[in-house]
Amino acid sequence: MTWSEMQPLLSQACWDTLYMVGWSTLIAVVAGLPLGVLLVLTDRGGLLQNIVANKVLGQLVNIARSMPFIILMVALMSFTRWVTGTTIGRDAAIVPLAIGAIPFFARLVETAVREVDGGLVEAVQAMGGNTWTVVRKVLVPESLPSLIAGTTTTVVALIGYSAMAGTVGAGGLGDIAIRYGYQRFETQLMWITVAILAVVISLIQFAGDFAARALHRRGGRGGPAPRLRLLKAKEPAAADATRPGAAPADAVPGEAAPAEVSKVG
């Protein structure tokens, strides 16, 4: 097979792979992020402690993660047909890809959120912040570098899953490798497909690592902003305490400041 014959096949296969991985990643992040946060909040000592709900969610996530992807595709064929109207093609492949990635990403989110400093959570609660405020202002922003790294890991895993989806007619680079490289003995095309996958994965990993390091150097989204916001209300009192003749914060009303007493004496 000449390059002029391989080029349109590879171009379409690359687009199909990016299409499947992109949509399934979006669905996995949208569904997996709240699921991972909920696993932390409902755990023992969490803001929404509910041991029964936490155990049920944890078991469902573990069962979904333990199922091999090729078996998951077969098991979800009826559901995939109900959602997309077919079990063949790139649109049909998005359903098992997304469902397989949601519990995987949820566990990565859970690990990232657990690393957040508990002191920030307690400070927000002391200032009257509710659970939603804690999640929005502390848990998600402070764990953002780890969340970016987890998303990168999920994308890389989905590229491997999409290659397996090619075995059931989903299209993409995996389909090219199976139909031409394995069934038709087009070894050159198969190795070109492998090289393209390696390059794509390397670029995605590099971009994800770069973004995670950049956010880590800034201390999460917006840098140390959460800490500054928490301390902002205390700054005026601290500034007043440093002025000459100012009474300390714990002084009893009606009593003179220590500096003023010394002057009188």
Side-chain angles (χ1 to χ4, degrees):
M1 182 177 288
T2 63
W3 173 250
S4 60
E5 296 173 328
M6 290 188 290
Q7 186 176 6
L9 293 174
L10 293 172
S11 299
Q12 184 62 42
C14 289
W15 168 246
D16 289 344
T17 297
L18 294 176
Y19 179 86
M20 291 185 292
V21 172
W23 277 107
S24 55
T25 300
L26 178 62
I27 297 172
V29 170
V30 171
L33 180 60
L35 179 58
V37 173
L38 193 61
L39 285 170
V40 176
L41 296 178
T42 57
D43 199 4
R44 193 180 304 275
L47 300 179
L48 300 175
Q49 178 175 317
N50 189 323
I51 304 302
V52 175
N54 183 265
K55 294 297 182 184
V56 172
L57 287 176
Q59 287 301 319
L60 290 176
V61 169
N62 291 337
I63 292 172
R65 287 186 61 198
S66 65
M67 188 175 297
F69 181 70
I70 192 71
I71 297 177
L72 182 65
M73 284 194 301
V74 176
L76 291 175
M77 277 188 174
S78 299
F79 179 72
T80 301
R81 184 181 293 108
W82 178 73
V83 173
T84 64
T86 181
T87 58
I88 300 175
R90 62 183 190 180
D91 290 330
I94 293 174
V95 176
L97 284 171
I99 293 177
I102 287 172
F104 179 81
F105 184 69
R107 283 300 186 189
L108 296 177
V109 172
E110 180 186 11
T111 302
V113 172
R114 288 189 188 279
E115 296 175 354
V116 176
D117 185 8
L120 290 175
V121 176
E122 295 175 358
V124 173
Q125 288 181 301
M127 296 177 64
N130 55 20
T131 302
W132 170 243
T133 302
V134 171
V135 172
R136 187 167 56 93
K137 296 293 187 180
V138 177
L139 295 183
V140 173
E142 290 295 309
S143 61
L144 195 57
S146 297
L147 293 178
I148 294 295
T151 304
T152 304
T153 303
T154 303
V155 172
V156 172
L158 281 172
I159 292 176
Y161 290 167
S162 68
M164 285 188 283
T167 61
V168 293
L173 293 171
D175 179 56
I176 294 294
I178 292 295
R179 286 195 295 120
Y180 291 90
Y182 178 72
Q183 297 176 350
R184 302 185 185 182
F185 303 102
E186 294 286 349
T187 307
Q188 183 181 8
L189 181 58
M190 184 183 67
W191 284 112
I192 292 175
T193 303
V194 172
I196 292 175
L197 285 171
V199 171
V200 170
I201 289 175
S202 298
L203 291 175
I204 291 174
Q205 189 67 56
F206 173 79
D209 292 344
F210 178 81
R213 285 195 298 266
L215 287 172
H216 183 72
R217 286 194 296 268
R218 293 175 55 192
R221 186 179 63 183
R227 293 180 176 83
L228 293 179
R229 283 195 296 268
L230 293 176
L231 298 175
K232 188 175 181 180
K234 300 179 181 180
E235 287 177 357
D240 292 339
T242 57
R243 292 203 306 266
D250 57 349
V252 179
E255 292 184 0
E260 294 175 349
V261 174
S262 61
K263 291 179 181 179
V264 173

